[in-house]
């Protein structure tokens, strides 16, 4: 079930407003759950039969790196805790969920984690395909700036026709900030989330321009008319301006870039 860009952004805003909210709510009809095992965070999102978010739980954790689970026990613990919190908020048992995986990696890595906590995996699809089907994209490139890599997927008629990634992402921005201020990576991550206060855009602009170079290489020779940004790094104010200047293409940025993939995964059940 494809939805409009405007409706998607409205639902992403509602999802962001309820992150880690454990207050009980009443929901009629079936609940659909999506679990996103990212390189910098784990997100569980539950939506109702109409596609409206009803529960969202997020934890910053590096349990997956480049499509490989680096903390299997930690991933299981987080997912199990999220399931319990979602069940308490929604007042129902959760036995099924959908998940995704980075293009070119083994889907079983994500599936194994869900199955290890007793969930039946209803759908599993690569991350850009989840987004492409949700928004019915055509002649577009989905650029996901993750923790360690930048991935580009070229989409035609909602189908991914090309995908690639390279090792430059949010961690590299944090390394740049840490070097500039002579601080730890952990402190750099915190300052990155207070971008205006610490003049972050001007510091990381060369790294962002390197990201745009990667994307330009990926889409060269492809039929791309617009670029859609996703991933936590895209929350940095000013990212759109850098991409527009360097790539000379229209840029779409979701109101909540971090929520787009989890919402797309949960929506797989509505197709």
């Amino acid at each position: 079930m494809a939805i409009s860009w405007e409706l998607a952004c409205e639902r992403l805003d509602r999802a962001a407003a309820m992150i880690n909210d454990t207050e009980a709510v009443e929901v009629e009809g079936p609940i659909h759950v999506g679990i996103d095992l990212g390189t910098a965070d784990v997100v569980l999102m539950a939506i109702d039969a109409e596609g409206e978010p009803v529960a969202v739980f997020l934890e910053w954790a590096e349990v997956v790196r480049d499509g490989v689970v680096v903390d299997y026990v930690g991933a299981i613990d987080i997912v199990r805790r999220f399931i319990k919190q979602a069940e308490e908020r929604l007042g129902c048992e959760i036995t099924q969920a959908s998940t995704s995986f980075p293009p070119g990696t083994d889907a079983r890595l994500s599936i194994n984690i869900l199955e290890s906590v007793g969930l039946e995996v209803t759908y599993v699809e690569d991350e850009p395909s989840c987004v492409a089907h949700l928004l019915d994209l055509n002649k577009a490139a989905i650029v996901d700036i993750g923790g360690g890599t930048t991935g580009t997927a070229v989409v035609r008629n909602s189908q991914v026709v090309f995908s690639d990634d390279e090792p430059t992402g949010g961690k590299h921005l944090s390394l740049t900030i840490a070097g500039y201020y002579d601080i730890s990576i952990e402190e750099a991550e915190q300052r990155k989330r207070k971008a205006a206060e610490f003049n972050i855009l001007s510091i990381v602009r060369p790294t962002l321009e390197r990201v745009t170079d990667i994307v330009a290489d990926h889409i060269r020779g492809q039929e791309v008319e617009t670029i859609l940004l996703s991933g936590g790094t895209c929350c940095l104010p000013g990212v759109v301006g850098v991409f527009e200047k360097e790539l000379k293409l229209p840029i779409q940025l979701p109101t909540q870039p971090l929520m787009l993939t989890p919402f797309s995964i949960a929506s797989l059940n509505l197709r």
Side-chain angles (χ1 to χ4, degrees), residues 39 66 75 83 120-121 139 145 162 181 206 221 232 238:
T39 56
D66 300 334
I83 292 295
E120 176 189 350
V121 179
K139 297 180 181 179
I145 309 176
F162 168 88
Y181 283 113

Side-chain angles (χ1 to χ4, degrees), residues 215-254:
V215 176
D217 287 341
H218 287 168
I219 66 175
R220 186 170 289 113
Q222 304 285 345
E223 195 174 8
V224 173
E225 296 179 353
T226 185
I227 291 176
L228 188 154
L229 299 179
S230 69
T233 299
C234 298
C235 296
L236 182 67
V239 165
V240 170
V242 175
F243 270 76
E244 287 178 338
K245 179 182 177 182
E246 298 299 323
L247 296 176
K248 306 296 190 296
L249 283 170
I251 307 297
Q252 285 187 291
L253 178 68

Side-chain angles (χ1 to χ4, degrees), residues 88-150:
E88 291 174 351
R89 173 173 166 83
L90 302 173
C92 64
E93 183 181 11
I94 295 173
T95 61
Q96 300 177 327
S98 297
T99 190
S100 69
F101 58 95
T105 65
D106 187 357
R108 285 301 314 178
L109 297 174
S110 298
I111 293 171
N112 288 342
I113 290 175
L114 270 62
E115 291 182 341
S116 293
V117 300
L119 292 172
E120 176 189 350
V121 179
T122 51
Y123 290 94
V124 59
E125 195 164 53
D126 67 85
E127 293 164 356
S129 291
C130 295
V131 176
H133 287 123
L134 175 72
L135 298 173
D136 193 22
L137 298 178
N138 183 40
K139 297 180 181 179
I142 302 169
V143 176
D144 186 355
I145 309 176
T149 63
T150 291

Side-chain angles (χ1 to χ4, degrees), residues 116-240:
S116 293
V117 300
L119 292 172
E120 176 189 350
V121 179
T122 51
Y123 290 94
V124 59
E125 195 164 53
D126 67 85
E127 293 164 356
S129 291
C130 295
V131 176
H133 287 123
L134 175 72
L135 298 173
D136 193 22
L137 298 178
N138 183 40
K139 297 180 181 179
I142 302 169
V143 176
D144 186 355
I145 309 176
T149 63
T150 291
T152 306
V154 176
V155 178
R156 191 173 301 122
N157 296 321
S158 299
Q159 301 296 320
V160 174
V161 296
F162 168 88
S163 66
D164 200 357
D165 60 32
E166 288 193 34
T168 300
K171 288 289 185 184
H172 298 80
L173 270 66
S174 298
L175 286 168
T176 302
I177 297 165
Y180 182 88
Y181 283 113
D182 192 22
I183 57 178
S184 69
I185 291 293
E186 290 73 22
E187 189 174 353
E189 289 283 350
Q190 295 303 315
R191 292 195 181 188
K192 190 166 64 175
R193 295 167 195 169
K194 302 176 182 178
E197 181 179 347
F198 292 100
N199 195 31
I200 296 302
L201 182 62
S202 64
I203 296 169
V204 302
R205 180 180 288 273
T207 308
L208 284 175
E209 290 173 350
R210 167 57 185 153
V211 171
T212 64
D213 288 342
I214 290 171
V215 176
D217 287 341
H218 287 168
I219 66 175
R220 186 170 289 113
Q222 304 285 345
E223 195 174 8
V224 173
E225 296 179 353
T226 185
I227 291 176
L228 188 154
L229 299 179
S230 69
T233 299
C234 298
C235 296
L236 182 67
V239 165
V240 170

